[in-house]
Amino acid sequence: MRFLLRLASLVALAVAVIAGTVDSIQSVAASAVVITPMGDAWQDLNPGSLESLQSSMAYYVHPGFYTVALQWLMLQPAFVVFLVLSLLLWMIGYKKPPVAGRFAA
């Protein structure tokens, strides 16, 4: 399970780096700071899954949760969302080193 969490963390980190790179390229091209919100990035990649998530959240959880939490998340920069997700997955899958050390009996 730890391997899968660390692998998912690596994938999220790669997506964050790609999103940050795209934002920096657009910023240089526009000569102004361009930061893509998560909602816009998701809408560009797969609009059907975003609409399905929105309807599922409104039906199964609560419409108020969607308007507060999910809307707030969709307004955050995409690279930040994936960086935080990568960090959380890495922290969950982290293996603590043994207390006694490597050569303890």
Side-chain angles (χ1 to χ4, degrees):
M1 190 66 185
R2 285 185 177 155
F3 173 75
L4 293 176
L5 287 169
R6 284 186 258 162
L7 182 65
S9 173
L10 178 68
V11 170
L13 181 63
V15 171
V17 168
I18 290 169
T21 304
V22 168
D23 284 349
S24 65
I25 290 171
Q26 289 177 347
S27 295
V28 169
S31 296
V33 177
V34 176
I35 298 175
T36 306
M38 182 69 191
D40 290 350
W42 197 342
Q43 185 71 28
D44 291 342
L45 291 177
N46 195 354
S49 67
L50 180 60
E51 293 170 5
S52 130
L53 175 71
Q54 291 170 348
S55 63
S56 301
M57 293 294 288
Y59 181 74
Y60 289 112
V61 180
H62 192 271
F65 180 77
Y66 168 73
T67 58
V68 174
L70 202 60
Q71 285 289 353
W72 178 82
L73 183 70
M74 291 301 150
L75 293 175
Q76 302 308 312
F79 73 93
V80 172
V81 171
F82 283 109
L83 278 176
V84 170
L85 179 64
S86 174
L87 177 65
L88 290 174
L89 290 171
W90 178 81
M91 288 170 56
I92 294 169
Y94 181 72
K95 183 178 179 181
K96 295 179 185 173
V99 177
R102 182 175 174 184
F103 299 108

